[in-house]
Amino acid sequence: YVHQLDSLYTVNRELGEENEKIRQQYSKEQDRTRELSKDKEKLNEKITLATVLKAYSISTVGVRLTGSGKEKETDKASKIERVKICFTLGENKLVEPGRKTIYVRIVRPDDVVVTQKVDGDYTFVFNGQTLEFTSKQEIDYQNKDTSTCIYWTKKSKEESAMVGTYNVFIYADGFEIGTSSFILK
């Protein structure tokens, strides 16, 4: 019996040591899996950011129309009739080509969004919030640099615009793709 007990004790000790090694290996593998999951999340975030359109060369100016119908740039609040926002959507092979809706928000110096306010017709969803937009335009994006201009026309020619700095935000596919500003005197 003593010999069997001694044998069983030795086997039990070896099994305990093996069990401990396996637990350590399992713990290391769990740590490695967690680390790989974090890396995968970071890569997915980078891929998501890489598939976002970007607007560059953004130009925002106030415009008045001359008697002949031509546009003339102005920074006078009393003379402005339109706001012209021109920009280029950058080439991006990762973006799905096709029709893209571009939203523009113009925010006055008093932090009010310039909009037509027709029963929620001028709203879109951004980051889970419903935001008002000033103007929108459909663009056929084919993964190449695409230049475009979006206009907003003032409701009343008699009323002058507010003096100060206006901020312009451009959105597409649920992302803010560019910002700009202009000053009216």
Side-chain angles (χ1 to χ4, degrees):
Y1 284 123
V2 172
H3 180 61
Q4 282 182 330
L5 284 174
D6 190 37
S7 249
L8 288 173
Y9 175 73
T10 304
V11 169
N12 191 25
R13 187 180 40 147
E14 289 172 358
L15 287 174
E17 289 172 2
E18 186 179 339
N19 190 4
E20 184 60 33
K21 285 180 187 177
I22 291 172
R23 284 182 191 200
Q24 288 174 355
Q25 288 175 343
Y26 179 71
S27 178
K28 285 180 185 177
E29 289 300 320
Q30 281 183 322
D31 291 343
R32 185 180 295 154
T33 301
R34 273 190 225 97
E35 205 53 45
L36 287 173
S37 293
K38 287 179 187 177
D39 289 347
K40 182 181 174 185
E41 283 179 32
K42 287 178 186 176
L43 287 173
N44 281 337
E45 286 176 23
K46 286 182 181 180
I47 288 171
T48 300
L49 290 176
T51 61
V52 174
L53 287 172
K54 294 288 183 206
Y56 65 93
S57 298
I58 302 169
S59 163
T60 307
V61 293
V63 174
R64 71 177 179 89
L65 299 176
T66 63
S68 63
K70 293 191 179 212
E71 293 180 351
K72 184 168 182 176
E73 290 184 16
T74 183
D75 64 352
K76 305 286 186 232
S78 60
K79 296 191 180 205
I80 188 171
E81 295 176 32
R82 303 169 100 178
V83 175
K84 179 180 178 181
I85 305 106
C86 294
F87 55 91
T88 301
L89 294 176
E91 179 180 343
N92 190 334
K93 299 295 183 192
L94 299 176
V95 173
E96 191 72 32
R99 306 291 296 167
K100 303 289 181 193
T101 303
I102 308 297
Y103 295 96
V104 173
R105 295 180 82 211
I106 299 175
V107 181
R108 297 187 323 199
D110 62 354
D111 289 332
V112 173
V113 176
V114 176
T115 184
Q116 302 295 338
K117 297 208 185 219
V118 183
D119 298 329
D121 288 343
Y122 280 77
T123 60
F124 70 105
V125 176
F126 173 70
N127 283 345
Q129 297 179 354
T130 301
L131 301 178
E132 294 177 315
F133 66 86
T134 304
S135 188
K136 76 176 180 178
Q137 183 172 325
E138 290 272 327
I139 295 175
D140 185 25
Y141 181 76
Q142 296 301 318
N143 302 96
K144 296 184 245 178
D145 284 352
T146 306
S147 295
T148 190
C149 290
I150 298 177
Y151 291 88
W152 175 77
T153 304
K154 201 169 78 169
K155 289 183 206 176
S156 169
K157 290 184 181 181
E158 290 76 37
E159 292 180 37
S160 65
M162 185 178 286
V163 174
T165 301
Y166 288 72
N167 292 307
V168 178
F169 303 91
I170 305 169
Y171 300 87
D173 296 334
F175 293 94
E176 183 179 298
I177 63 171
T179 61
S180 179
S181 65
F182 64 100
I183 298 172
L184 294 181
K185 299 176 185 173

